[in-house]
Amino acid sequence: MALQQTVGKRVGMTALAWIVGFLIFFPILWTFLTSFKSELDAFSLPPKFLFFHWTTENYAEVQSRSDYFSFAWNSIILSVGANLVGLIVGVPAAWSMAFAPTKRTKDLLLWMLSTKMMPGVGVFAAVYFIFQYLGLLDNRIGIGFLLFMANLPILIWMLYTYFKEIPVDILEAARMDGASLVNEIIYVLTPMAIPGIASTLLLCIILSWNEAFWTLNLTTSHAAPLTAFIASYSSPEGLFWAKLSAASTLAIAPILVLGWFCQKQLVRGLTFGAVK
Amino acid sequence: MGSIELVKVRKDFGGFAVINGVDLKVEDGEFTVFVGPSGCGKSTLLRLIAGLEDISSGQVLIDGKDVSRVGPSQRGLSMVFQSYALYPHMSVRNNIAFALKMAKQPKDVIEQKVKKAAGILNLTDYLERKPRQLSGGQRQRVAIGRAIVREPKAFLFDEPLSNLDAALRVQMRLEIGDLHQSLKTTMIYVTHDQVEAMTMADKIVVLNKGEVAQIGSPLELYNRPQNLFVARFIGSPTMNIATGPSAAKRGATTIGIRPEHVDVSATAGEWPAKVRLAEHLGSDTYVHVEVDDIGPMTVRLGGEAPNQPGQRIFVTPQEPRIHRFDQQGLRVGG
């Protein structure tokens, strides 16, 4: 009886997990399918799920109308670059908070997090005018700097949590062995924290990749990443669902593939602190 | 060379003095043990010498030079941690070689020194392993190996044996003793285990609540404890304490007598007592008794003793072996 119950329970749980998984995945699947429909099929009612005329003309059109690779290249440069710079700032910052805390470290951490609670639109006008004044509109450095700053609190928080799990004895041993602060971070802390640093970097890259508010408002073409590429297909002349879907599929494909390969790291990154 | 001197060293944590004005001199080549109950500040004192904590006031001198404001990497000391603190991502070889690499020594010199250290510590076959593939005792040896390759002015040991099982602890105790004999380097060793302290030390520093209770050789502490705290802390089983008339007639507030310095008789003696329990260790018997009007005492008898629980006996302290203490708990007389 007990065995049957467990088997029943497992079947139920598995089915539930698949259903929830499918619900979450459905919009992506729908976008993917729509990208292969003709514009007419794309908004037909009732919707056509699988039985429509498959076509790749949307992809061809999207590529001919706008240069996908230029947008993709900007996305890669911005999301990877901004967060690599973030690591250079974040690793020492998290080191000092984890291993040399002062009375105000906890306050500082909370304050950093609180900046993420403010909606970006709240400071939009100010940021826009500053960018305009400094000539940073539609500039990779400008938007990159903004993405770097936007992720920094999350990056430092995650690294801080990882570093807290590293026994301080080992760093002290390095100090006793004559390692300077820089050598201690490079040769001892960083190699031990590689899994944590990798998943932090990955999560932050994904966040930057998907960031739409600032990238849409502060870039137009030269520095525009894939978010702008998608947005350009919801134009005032009308919605082109199929082309929009093709653009979306192209925009999310790289990050989806990256996420697929780094699943294990990501899960660890997203559940950090939960499994000590 | 490696003499270490502390002058009025003080360490405050949040307004509370953890180390309260310690003066101490460790001579070159000496094996000094810091001992005391947990929370007495012994590990903190070691970390102040290492430079891992900053002193609040006072001075730390190494070979006569003030290093109070010098970082741990510049003090030329090695430390062995309780948790071993090996670098988990490095092989045994690289763990041992790390300090030499940091000192930018040439490759062949590093190779030679690592080989020598591994030879001394029986680690030659394990050089390519990672710390997680080693047993507790081997890890401890790697930690010691990491300390000796640097040829430091002094070794600092922070309760290095407390994570090992009893048999291994005795073995490692001997190995550390041998190491001291062959290297003749200054060693400072922190432990809460007074047996470890007694067996290893040239000089013991007993600490209590952040202050030095007594400094002396193991036998000095055993034979002439300067206060009640040291009297109770050194020796196993602990010293028996009596107050009241039997102390007063000897001109003291409190007297102490070690279990091995008490005679037992079935017919006559100073203190009538009832046997509570006899522990037979083979070589010795510990007889726990309840002395009338005084309280529990322990008597250590050589060999086997036939005492039974409930039996009435008389116990008598050996007069010259009695330790006398005044109202403040300080030793009276010689």
Side-chain angles (χ1 to χ4, degrees):
Chain A
M1 280 305 281
L3 185 71
Q4 260 181 1
Q5 218 176 15
T6 358
V7 170
K9 209 170 160 186
R10 280 177 61 181
V11 168
M13 287 305 283
T14 309
L16 188 69
W18 274 100
I19 291 167
V20 171
F22 184 75
L23 281 177
I24 293 170
F25 179 64
F26 185 75
I28 296 170
L29 177 68
W30 193 250
T31 307
F32 179 74
L33 290 174
T34 307
S35 73
F36 290 101
K37 292 176 187 173
S38 64
E39 288 294 348
L40 207 62
D41 282 339
F43 62 94
S44 68
L45 274 174
K48 293 180 177 171
F49 188 60
L50 282 173
F51 305 102
F52 54 84
H53 175 67
W54 289 68
T55 170
T56 55
E57 65 181 21
N58 298 313
Y59 286 92
E61 178 124 349
V62 162
Q63 183 53 31
S64 70
R65 235 182 75 174
S66 47
D67 183 5
Y68 168 76
F69 291 102
S70 141
F71 288 101
W73 182 236
N74 277 337
S75 272
I76 292 170
I77 287 196
L78 290 176
S79 59
V80 175
N83 291 302
L84 282 180
V85 175
L87 276 187
I88 294 170
V89 177
V91 169
W95 176 92
S96 69
M97 289 187 201
F99 301 116
T102 66
K103 268 184 271 177
R104 299 191 196 283
T105 298
K106 277 263 142 65
D107 298 340
L108 186 64
L109 278 165
L110 275 178
W111 171 75
M112 283 190 340
L113 201 66
S114 74
T115 62
K116 294 302 292 177
M117 296 170 194
M118 183 185 63
V121 71
V123 287
F124 173 66
V127 170
Y128 188 88
F129 287 125
I130 291 171
F131 268 53
Q132 194 178 38
Y133 180 76
L134 295 175
L136 290 174
L137 289 174
D138 201 22
N139 178 310
R140 280 186 198 151
I141 304 269
I143 189 70
F145 180 75
L146 204 73
L147 292 175
F148 149 72
M149 290 294 276
N151 269 351
L152 202 55
I154 299 172
L155 192 131
I156 293 177
W157 255 97
M158 282 186 71
L159 289 177
Y160 167 79
T161 317
Y162 283 117
F163 289 178
K164 285 294 266 187
E165 290 177 30
I166 290 172
V168 69
D169 281 6
I170 296 176
L171 302 183
E172 289 181 342
R175 259 167 257 172
M176 293 303 295
D177 270 348
S180 64
L181 189 56
V182 173
N183 283 343
E184 172 190 326
I185 291 181
I186 294 177
Y187 293 110
V188 180
L189 177 67
T190 306
M192 281 199 295
I194 281 286
I197 291 175
S199 51
T200 303
L201 184 63
L202 202 64
L203 189 77
C204 287
I205 286 177
I206 292 174
L207 287 175
S208 300
W209 189 279
N210 294 335
E211 204 291 320
F213 178 73
W214 294 110
T215 48
L216 287 182
N217 283 304
L218 298 178
T219 66
T220 48
S221 59
H222 176 67
L226 286 167
T227 45
F229 169 74
I230 301 175
S232 69
Y233 286 89
S234 90
S235 53
E237 308 94 80
L239 282 172
F240 298 97
W241 285 116
K243 286 176 196 66
L244 185 64
S245 298
S248 293
T249 306
L250 283 171
I252 61 175
I255 206 75
L256 212 63
V257 172
L258 182 71
W260 186 271
F261 280 115
C262 308
Q263 241 183 42
K264 228 168 116 182
Q265 292 288 350
L266 259 182
V267 169
R268 166 100 175 90
L270 292 170
T271 57
F272 75 99
V275 275
K276 276 208 170 169
Chain B
M1 279 298 285
S3 70
I4 294 169
E5 195 177 346
L6 305 183
V7 184
K8 293 195 173 50
V9 166
R10 194 186 158 89
K11 175 70 182 172
D12 298 311
F13 275 125
F16 177 74
V18 194
I19 297 294
N20 197 357
V22 168
D23 288 295
L24 175 69
K25 200 160 171 30
V26 177
E27 302 293 343
D28 183 36
E30 207 170 39
F31 197 120
T32 302
V33 173
F34 294 173
V35 71
S38 57
C40 71
K42 54 191 189 297
S43 282
T44 308
L45 195 58
L46 192 76
R47 292 169 58 82
L48 290 173
I49 295 172
L52 293 171
E53 305 275 357
D54 294 327
I55 56 174
S56 302
S57 66
Q59 274 186 316
V60 178
L61 301 140
I62 297 176
D63 288 336
K65 232 175 73 189
D66 186 358
V67 294
S68 309
R69 301 284 163 237
V70 175
S73 59
Q74 307 298 320
R75 292 195 184 186
L77 307 175
S78 279
M79 185 150 164
V80 176
F81 292 80
Q82 181 177 3
S83 61
Y84 318 136
L86 302 179
Y87 310 124
H89 56 290
M90 295 183 198
S91 63
V92 170
R93 180 190 298 282
N94 287 331
N95 261 283
I96 297 175
F98 185 73
L100 302 173
K101 284 183 186 163
M102 288 297 113
K104 298 208 164 54
Q105 297 217 8
K107 269 203 174 125
D108 50 325
V109 175
I110 295 180
E111 181 61 32
Q112 189 195 336
K113 285 187 176 173
V114 169
K115 252 191 189 154
K116 194 176 153 207
I120 293 173
L121 295 161
N122 289 326
L123 287 169
T124 310
D125 296 339
Y126 304 101
L127 281 175
E128 303 314 322
R129 292 211 193 166
K130 291 277 170 68
R132 61 171 180 276
Q133 297 164 308
L134 301 176
S135 70
Q138 288 164 342
R139 284 179 204 181
Q140 189 55 265
R141 279 202 198 92
V142 177
I144 293 172
R146 202 169 59 174
I148 63 175
V149 283
R150 291 188 64 202
E151 294 160 15
K153 292 179 186 154
F155 290 99
L156 310 177
F157 291 94
D158 189 6
E159 308 211 21
L161 306 185
S162 52
N163 286 347
L164 302 177
D165 63 49
L168 207 52
R169 210 177 302 162
V170 174
Q171 189 197 329
M172 288 303 293
R173 209 159 77 193
L174 288 172
E175 285 185 27
I176 293 174
D178 286 344
L179 201 67
H180 181 240
Q181 287 300 320
S182 60
L183 298 176
K184 305 215 184 313
T185 311
T186 312
M187 292 190 177
I188 301 181
Y189 188 104
V190 164
T191 181
H192 61 267
D193 181 351
Q194 56 101 5
V195 177
E196 244 170 55
M198 294 294 281
T199 50
M200 301 175 86
D202 295 324
K203 180 154 94 187
I204 296 180
V205 179
V206 184
L207 289 162
N208 183 28
K209 294 179 186 155
E211 291 178 24
V212 173
Q214 189 174 349
I215 301 176
S217 72
L219 287 181
E220 269 168 36
L221 297 186
Y222 177 83
N223 289 324
R224 292 173 48 80
Q226 289 304 307
N227 48 55
L228 262 175
F229 177 79
V230 177
R232 284 204 184 101
F233 193 78
I234 299 290
S236 173
T238 52
M239 186 185 278
N240 298 306
I241 302 296
T243 51
S246 39
K249 82 174 188 199
R250 291 179 170 91
T253 311
T254 312
I255 57 167
I257 184 74
R258 297 202 181 276
E260 47 273 41
H261 301 145
V262 178
D263 295 324
V264 171
S265 161
T267 51
E270 185 173 347
W271 295 323
K274 193 172 92 176
V275 176
R276 283 166 62 202
L277 182 71
E279 292 177 321
H280 301 279
L281 303 180
S283 59
D284 291 302
T285 305
Y286 298 160
V287 184
H288 298 274
V289 299
E290 189 74 28
V291 178
D292 298 355
D293 303 325
I294 291 180
M297 280 198 183
T298 309
V299 182
R300 179 179 187 164
L301 301 172
E304 291 165 35
N307 300 87
Q308 293 297 323
Q311 191 187 352
R312 298 284 315 176
I313 55 170
F314 291 91
V315 294
T316 310
Q318 296 167 7
E319 207 61 39
R321 297 288 201 167
I322 290 175
H323 305 271
R324 298 181 299 146
F325 301 96
D326 65 13
Q327 214 161 359
Q328 279 80 47
L330 299 176
R331 187 176 186 85
V332 178

